[in-house]
Structures are given as structure tokens and as C-alpha cells.
Amino acid sequence: MSSFFRTFCIATFLMFAVMPAYPEKPAEIRAIPGRIEWVLSGGNMSYVVGINDEKMPQSVYFGRRLSESAVPPVAGMRPGWASFETPMTTTPLEYAAWGAGLALEPALKVDSANGDRTLILKYMSSQIEANRLEIVLKDTTQPLKVHLFYEMFPEGVLARWSRIENVGRQTFKIDQAASATWNLPRASNYEWSWLAGRWAAEWQLHTAVLQPGTQVLESRVGTTSHTTNPWFEVHQAGLTTEQSGPVWFGELGWSGNWKIAVEVSSTYNVRITGGYNPFDFGFRLPPGQALETPKFYAGFTEGGMGEASRVLHRFQLAELLPSHPRPKLRPVLFDSWESTRFNVAEQNQMALVDLAAKLGVERFVIDDGWFGSRNSDHSGLGDWFVNSEKFPHGLKPLIERVHASGMDFGIWVEPEMVNPDSDLYRRHPDWVLAFPDRQRTEERHQLVLNLAKPEVKEYVFSVIDRLVTENSIAFLKWDYNRTWSEPGWLAGGNETDQINGTEGREVYVDYVRNLYDILARLRKKHPNLDIESCAGGGGRVDLGILRFTDETWPSDNTDALDRLNIQYGYLHAYAPQTMMSWVTDSPNGFDHRFIPLKFRFLAAMQGGLGIGGALDHWSADDLALGETMVRFYKSVQGTIQQGSLYRLSPPSTGAEQVEYVSQDSSQAVVFAYLQAQHNALTYPRVVLQGLAPDSMYRLYPLDPEKYKGPDTVAGSLLMGEGLELNLEGDYAATVVRLERLHEERRP
Ligand code: DGJ
């Protein structure tokens, strides 16, 4: 074969190998000739916004992709309803400030120096640059400009945010600032879904009829929160299922206090406004300054709830995660937390290193307990130096052993917190969030450092930077284990001016921005460093933090049965690539439930796989099974983490089935779980999705005794009749890998 021909063949193969199964329709923004109106299209959706007769930006359309000739004109201000609802309330406006009788959730509310607390924003100018549109508005009397930004992505996701700019000579105080309002087509048959829960029970999926009035999702606890996540979906009752029908979905990218208000007005206008939570909010805007709001992402699909998730997953991989567009695969990791707790020490970790390496683990992580006086959660947080009793020779010998065993090394940190019993707190008691004369409420015996203070920000950056620089660290598990209680900004030195007027409420914005900044600087200085966002489990998972962190820890609850539910909810909003899960010991520490090791492994394989059990207590059989399972996982790691997810059957059926198909549909993997068999019923058929219908697939069951069908089956048959799997008893699970055969095409 000539070298030219060989190169040509390899190039052609590579082109097809990486070609996604969903050729994304390009993102584009067009100005409609003769009107002040724009159509933004990407993937299978279009969004249309225009300037109406009152020079206000008005939502025109949000739905399936339109051709240019189909774009409707701006409808214009709607009449009010009697003398009780003004046109501001009845018209679907893009970004309505509080003023002129707006009775719905305002996108903006500002105090002006002359006592006026209202605004009326009108169009000034616009510009399009590549896939980004900027519309500039100005208040009719106050020197305040608002820039509305739109960025369209080819996956079918639109990002919107705003910048509020003081162009006058006096300070404004911002009381409320949203990123965007999304107006949906008027209808009265909407349902919506959201994710709610609590610590160790995050990500529970709820669905309900969208009721007239306001439904609020929010966090007031300083960070994203375990109790609600800034994600939503709206469906049409009777039309939308997992596999088809219209879905409008959205996700806010902010890791501080946030609010999403879902409103159904008296005239069935459905509008969703999201951004900074106005609760206890305040932001001083001196002349020449601007406040930017977080990005609020939304999209539309006609492919049902399953496709809505897949659009978000593709978007996160291609456009958002730190190493996009080709995020590195999450290695199989071991974490010490559940096996050694705070007793982590050189000797016991060395023993675990050898066992983990034998299983095929790729990353060894020491969790809490390695630093300062950290023998329990009562002390040591803030003192980020190696505990010399536990690690008499520093971390080096352990790290060398980890490397020699073919793994990389990761370490746990919780840099935003301090135990009052720590050297750091004794030196800087004024560095925490607190009010001057009020008690400092401790949770888990710790207080929150005020990261908004420049000196605290510098301290946090420098201690973590030093830790990573002095040791060969590939991964930080960045934890955050409490909510805010006294969100005061203790003034020190020249900060008095900073807190005048708003009493330091800027902390809600500045804290999070500084956190993002620290993470960005660390990543820049240590380009190979991976970071996990953990907040006592899933308390800080959102599209803001995911721009700086590679993965998340969705929950501290590692019970495999609970975990199926948790993961089911999580994957509605976030990509499998971002979701870590560990195989831990049985009975589980949370509920003392016994679950067989194979079920625990298969439950933990729905995203990034980790092992968190006490390997030194595993039997020889357990270790042998572990080795087999890790080897199997590695054969489908890319498909699970970066393929397309199909939720074939939810965990609520007791017989969950989850399938992943690689981007080029050449590989698929299907997991089947049976929680408990009833009345000797056979396991439901597994009907696959997303395969190439005309191709033949060879099936590789992990447990040949659980699949008795033919070795090769056509894609169309797998997606029609499906597979029979023989699962019986309680906590039974299995997995089948499918490989597409290129040579055996069906007519
Ligand atoms: C909470 C985390 O979610 C756990 O995995 C563990 O790291 C502990 N913190 C350690 O304190």
C-alpha cells in the first residue's frame, strides 16, 4: 500500500471515527431585513427577539428551528387588562425592569440617587459578532444602560446574560438583577420538572402541572445548594414523553444565591426569569462601573426529555467543561474517605495503593485528614500543611509509590473553610463571614472564610498553589461542607467604603467571582490539574462551577440503590462525564443495607467510576471480581462518559435500564438492574435506542448465563423487539456491550 494511500485511509477512518452521530446544524444569528429583529438558530431550535413599537425588546418565538422566511414579526405591546394589569405585565418582554406597572418578576430593580426606584428600558443599538448578539438599552431618564447578550451554540443551546452599566455621575444601588427572562408560547397545558432534595438525597426528580402564579426555585444558602438545582424543564402534557415531544429546558450558571421564577400570568403568559437571588441582595454601582449577571442557558427540542438531556450533555462536553471541546476521560479512581476516614496516614495508604493498583485504578486520592491537626472535623481546617505525625516524611514517599504503581495522585482540600480550632482562625478571626456582635453559627464545627476579601482570596490561592507546586498532584477534590449563616462582611483596613450603602451585600457576588478566579488561576498555572467540585456531595453543581471543574461528587450517599435514583435525576441536567460514583462497602454506612458487589459496581458505572471501599478488608473473590469489573468498565469508559445516554426505563420501575451509545454509534453498552423480583415475573425486555438500524451488532454480555440470544443482532431488531435478559432475585444486575459490525450490513 503506498504511503499516500495509507495516509488517505487513516485520515478517512479518523474522520468517520470522530464524526458525531448528530451532525449539529450550525449556530447562526441573522438580522431580519427591514425590521429590528433577530433570529438565532442552533441545533434544532430557533429563538426570535425584536424591538417593538415602544422600542422595547420583545420575545417573538422560542421553538423548533425556523427558516428565515418563516420568522414572524414582533407582535407589539399587548393591551393591558382593565386598569389592573398594564401592558408591561401583559406583553412578553425580554428584559423588563420594575417600572410602568410591571407586576411580574422584574429582571432588574434599581435605587437611583434621586429616589426613583423604577426604570423603563428602551432600545439604543445592537451588534452581532459571530454567534453573539448584543442589544443595548437605556433607561428613559436615568443614566443607566443595560446590555443584553445572546450567544447561540450549535448543540441547540442559547446563553443569555446582561451587563448593567452606570453611565452617570452618581451611585446606583442594584436590588435585583436577573440574567434573562425566557417567554414560552402561550399555552395552558404545561407541566414542568425540577430537581430537589437534601444532603445525601440530592437530585430527586419532580414533575407537576405548571400552575397559574409563581413557582420558585432558589438558593439562599450562599452556594448552589443540595435542596434545589438551577435546572428546569417545561413540557406539554399529553404530548411530551421521554422519547418525543416538545421540551423547553434551562440551566443557570451560578454557584452563589440564585433564583429562577417560573410564572404563569393571569393571561397564561409563561415566563421564566433567573439570575442573582434578590433575597438580601444589594450591589453598589458607582459611576463608570458595571455588574454582569451569570449566564442563563436554555434550549428547545422536540425529542422529549431524553433528547433534552442529551442536548445539555453534548453542550457541556463541547462548549463548557474546562477542557472542552474534548474533555479528558475521567480516570478510575480510589478515594480513602470511607475506608480510613480521618485516620489517613502514610502506612495505611501505602497498603491501599497496592490493592488499588491491582484492581486497575488509575488515580489514588487521599481524602480528609492529612493536614494540620485534622484528627476529626473539630479542628485543622485552614492549616494546609502536611500532618507530620501521619506523614513523617511528607507526602513524597506516598506519591512516589502511587506513581510507581502506575496511578496519578489526588488530594482532598476544603480551602474556603476554617475551624475555629486552627492556627489560621487564631491569626485571622476577622476573615470569616460574620456580623460584628452576633454569634458565629458553626456547622460541622467550621466557619466560612470571606473569599470576597482580597487578602483571603490571595491566601486561598497561594496555599493551594504551593501544595500543588510542591507535590506532584494531578487532582484536587475541592470540598465545601456547610451553608452560610451570618453573611456579613467584617470591615477591616480600607474596606469601610466598600460596605457603605449595602452593608457589604456585594459578598454574594464577589465571593463567587473570587472562587471562580482562584480556580481559573490554578488551572492556568497547573494546566494538567483536574478539579472535582464537591460540597458535602452535590451542594455545588451548576454550569458556573463546571466551567472550572472537571467533575462533581453528586452525593455523599453511596448506597447503590439510592444512588440509582440520585444518578437518574443528576443525569437529566449534567453529563455522565461529570458524575463520579464510588463502589463502597456493604452493609452501607447510611442505611446498613446489604447489596452484592456486582450490583454496586454496575450502579457506580453510570458515569466516572470510583472505588471507595476498604480494599484491605475485601476477600480474594471480591478483589478478583473488582479487577474484572474495572477491566470491563475500561472497555466502555469513552462510550459511557462521552456517548449518548438513553434512559430506557427509570429506577422507579424497580427494573432500571440505561444505555449509552458512542458518538459514531459503533459501540453501545446497556445496564440492567433488578431491585427485587416479584411473583416470579421475568425481567422486562430491554428495548434499545440510538443504534444504527441497518447495522449488525455483536453482543458481549458480561454474564453469558444472563443472555441466551444470538451473538449478533440487527440494530433495528434491538430497537424493535429488544433483548431478553435473565435477571432474577434481589439486587441482580448485568451489562451487555455491543459492537457494530461494519461488514455485515442488512439490505
Ligand atoms: C464531604 C465529602 O462529600 C466526602 O466525600 C468527604 O470528602 C468528606 N466531606 C470529608 O470531610
Side-chain angles (χ1 to χ4, degrees):
M1 196 192 289
S2 78
S3 77
F4 169 78
F5 187 64
R6 198 167 45 232
T7 314
F8 173 80
C9 290
I10 293 171
T12 311
F13 171 77
L14 283 178
M15 200 171 87
F16 284 103
V18 297
M19 196 173 74
Y22 327 88
E24 309 288 9
K25 294 186 200 145
E28 53 183 20
I29 300 182
R30 284 168 197 249
I32 305 295
R35 310 183 206 151
I36 315 181
E37 191 178 350
W38 305 268
V39 54
L40 303 91
S41 298
N44 292 320
M45 71 160 269
S46 289
Y47 186 89
V48 183
V49 51
I51 305 302
N52 67 21
D53 41 0
E54 286 295 329
K55 295 178 94 181
M56 292 186 180
Q58 183 167 339
S59 312
V60 178
Y61 175 86
F62 183 9
R64 71 185 302 179
R65 194 168 178 134
L66 295 178
S67 64
E68 205 172 316
S69 60
V71 174
V74 189
M77 294 297 275
R78 289 185 184 153
W81 185 248
S83 56
F84 293 97
E85 290 178 60
T86 67
M88 287 298 288
T89 299
T90 54
T91 306
L93 295 171
E94 275 293 275
Y95 195 87
W98 189 56
L102 177 75
L104 297 167
E105 184 77 8
L108 183 63
K109 183 175 174 302
V110 164
D111 284 357
S112 305
N114 71 353
D116 188 352
R117 302 194 300 279
T118 62
L119 293 170
I120 297 177
L121 301 172
K122 300 231 171 176
Y123 175 74
M124 282 187 64
S125 62
S126 65
Q127 58 169 335
I128 297 175
E129 220 172 277
N131 292 335
R132 192 181 274 210
L133 164 69
E134 178 183 354
I135 301 176
V136 185
L137 312 174
K138 192 184 158 300
D139 182 60
T140 48
T141 60
Q142 298 289 348
L144 193 81
K145 276 189 185 174
V146 175
H147 305 250
L148 304 183
F149 294 99
Y150 299 76
E151 188 169 359
M152 190 75 231
F153 294 96
E155 294 77 19
V157 171
L158 175 62
R160 288 182 55 194
W161 69 103
S162 63
R163 193 167 74 225
I164 301 133
E165 185 189 358
N166 183 348
V167 290
R169 297 202 175 145
Q170 286 185 307
T171 296
F172 289 99
K173 183 177 151 256
I174 302 179
D175 302 321
Q176 178 159 3
S179 307
T181 294
W182 303 96
N183 287 285
L184 269 48
R186 203 151 23 155
S188 57
N189 66 339
Y190 283 126
E191 287 176 346
W192 72 306
S193 294
W194 70 102
L195 293 161
R198 60 175 191 277
W199 175 76
E202 304 89 335
W203 309 108
Q204 308 301 312
L205 182 73
H206 299 265
T207 299
V209 168
L210 205 51
Q211 301 284 358
T214 307
Q215 287 108 126
V216 173
L217 301 177
E218 64 172 341
S219 164
R220 298 180 176 193
V221 296
T223 193
T224 325
S225 101
H226 296 81
T227 48
T228 18
N229 192 264
W231 168 91
F232 70 86
E233 268 183 11
V234 177
H235 326 123
Q236 276 187 296
L239 285 182
T240 309
T241 65
E242 176 69 19
Q243 289 190 37
S244 66
V247 183
W248 292 261
F249 52 89
E251 227 160 14
L252 188 68
W254 185 241
S255 315
N257 281 3
W258 57 272
K259 179 179 177 185
I260 296 177
V262 183
E263 294 174 292
V264 182
S265 78
S266 67
T267 47
Y268 287 97
N269 283 339
V270 176
R271 63 199 295 279
I272 300 164
T273 304
Y276 294 127
N277 194 330
F279 175 79
D280 198 39
F281 189 82
F283 200 92
R284 257 163 35 96
L285 204 61
Q289 303 271 308
L291 171 68
E292 193 153 296
T293 57
K295 291 188 176 166
F296 196 1
Y297 304 87
F300 171 82
T301 176
E302 287 175 304
M305 296 175 72
E307 182 61 12
S309 300
R310 288 187 290 276
V311 170
L312 282 174
H313 297 171
R314 292 201 286 270
F315 167 71
Q316 290 159 18
L317 259 58
E319 314 283 356
L320 190 113
L321 289 171
S323 49
H324 74 268
R326 295 199 199 299
K328 288 178 282 179
L329 288 182
R330 303 292 82 220
V332 178
L333 67 71
F334 171 83
D335 183 285
S336 68
W337 177 241
E338 292 208 15
S339 53
T340 40
R341 294 272 158 175
F342 295 102
N343 300 326
V344 48
E346 185 177 298
Q347 273 200 332
N348 60 21
Q349 298 309 298
M350 289 281 197
L352 290 166
V353 167
D354 296 345
L355 290 164
K358 195 150 183 307
L359 284 190
V361 166
E362 297 161 307
R363 170 167 290 168
F364 188 89
V365 183
I366 57 168
D367 208 288
D368 201 349
W370 59 269
F371 56 92
S373 59
R374 189 74 169 170
N375 295 316
S376 73
D377 57 13
H378 287 251
S379 66
L381 273 185
D383 301 337
W384 298 106
F385 51 85
V386 179
N387 180 310
S388 56
E389 278 167 33
K390 297 178 181 182
F391 294 91
H393 316 99
L395 295 173
K396 217 165 172 236
L398 177 65
I399 297 180
E400 279 172 0
R401 178 85 152 254
V402 168
H403 288 169
S405 308
M407 299 182 283
D408 68 23
F409 179 76
I411 198 162
W412 179 95
V413 289
E414 191 178 2
E416 299 156 75
M417 300 286 168
V418 65
N419 285 122
D421 185 1
S422 67
D423 292 344
L424 181 69
Y425 188 74
R426 284 184 278 275
R427 271 201 318 274
H428 298 291
D430 57 331
W431 274 14
V432 296
L433 292 177
F435 292 113
D437 301 316
R438 180 71 59 199
Q439 68 168 29
R440 299 176 177 194
T441 306
E442 293 177 24
E443 290 179 89
R444 209 191 191 208
H445 317 287
Q446 63 195 56
L447 299 167
V448 187
L449 290 173
N450 184 355
L451 219 57
K453 282 176 176 262
E455 64 272 33
V456 177
K457 176 185 171 187
E458 267 330 292
Y459 170 80
V460 168
F461 172 76
S462 59
V463 284
I464 302 302
D465 176 40
R466 201 191 57 219
L467 179 70
V468 178
T469 305
E470 289 177 357
N471 300 283
S472 181
I473 291 175
F475 171 76
L476 291 175
K477 174 174 173 182
W478 188 291
D479 208 344
Y480 175 100
N481 277 298
R482 59 159 296 175
T483 49
W484 293 14
S485 46
E486 290 83 30
W489 184 318
L490 296 175
N494 56 7
E495 284 172 342
T496 322
D497 187 44
Q498 174 101 24
I499 64 167
N500 274 348
T502 65
E503 290 79 31
R505 286 180 170 88
E506 287 78 5
V507 72
Y508 290 117
V509 174
D510 292 350
Y511 182 110
V512 181
R513 281 189 184 162
N514 284 355
L515 169 66
Y516 291 164
D517 194 56
I518 291 167
L519 294 170
R521 279 167 70 193
L522 283 171
R523 297 197 73 100
K524 190 155 184 228
K525 191 148 175 218
H526 307 279
N528 295 323
L529 180 70
D530 283 0
I531 306 177
E532 176 179 275
S533 175
C534 169
R540 188 156 64 192
V541 182
D542 58 77
L543 294 189
I545 201 83
L546 276 170
R547 289 187 295 132
F548 307 100
T549 55
D550 306 85
E551 62 185 58
T552 77
W553 177 234
S555 180
D556 277 349
N557 185 343
T558 59
D559 172 273
L561 189 58
D562 289 347
R563 198 80 185 187
L564 292 185
N565 240 335
I566 285 170
Q567 294 174 173
Y568 176 74
Y570 180 100
L571 291 170
H572 275 74
Y574 302 101
Q577 159 99 25
T578 67
M579 183 181 81
M580 283 311 295
S581 209
W582 305 339
V583 179
T584 56
D585 290 335
S586 199
N588 189 275
F590 272 91
D591 49 24
H592 310 293
R593 187 185 276 132
F594 281 94
I595 295 187
L597 185 57
K598 185 180 277 181
F599 190 101
R600 282 181 270 141
F601 257 106
L602 293 176
M605 286 188 194
Q606 292 187 356
L609 173 66
I611 297 175
L615 294 179
D616 46 346
H617 289 80
W618 284 25
S619 68
D621 283 354
D622 287 348
L623 291 169
L625 177 62
E627 229 181 298
T628 308
M629 299 305 278
V630 171
R631 199 177 321 115
F632 173 80
Y633 177 75
K634 286 182 183 170
S635 72
V636 288
Q637 198 168 0
T639 297
I640 290 176
Q641 295 188 20
Q642 300 188 346
S644 295
L645 166 79
Y646 294 88
R647 296 181 287 256
L648 305 181
S649 170
S652 57
T653 58
E656 187 183 14
Q657 298 166 358
V658 186
E659 180 198 0
Y660 302 79
V661 182
S662 65
Q663 296 255 332
D664 61 0
S665 74
S666 67
Q667 187 184 61
V669 54
V670 59
F671 293 91
Y673 309 87
L674 175 64
Q675 294 171 17
Q677 190 178 25
H678 296 285
N679 306 319
L681 278 176
T682 51
Y683 189 73
R685 268 182 309 122
V686 183
V687 181
L688 283 82
Q689 295 176 37
L691 303 176
D694 296 333
S695 293
M696 297 298 287
Y697 285 83
R698 187 178 295 283
L699 276 61
Y700 298 90
L702 179 74
D703 306 299
E705 76 284 2
K706 294 196 165 75
Y707 172 69
K708 298 280 181 227
D711 289 351
T712 55
V713 185
S716 53
L717 195 61
L718 291 164
M719 295 193 289
E721 202 171 277
L723 291 177
E724 292 282 2
L725 293 177
N726 175 27
L727 289 186
E728 293 174 332
D730 295 345
Y731 301 124
T734 194
V735 61
V736 181
R737 176 168 64 92
L738 299 93
E739 302 286 346
R740 193 173 74 199
L741 302 179
H742 291 281
E743 64 285 4
E744 294 180 49
R745 293 180 70 81
R746 299 189 91 209

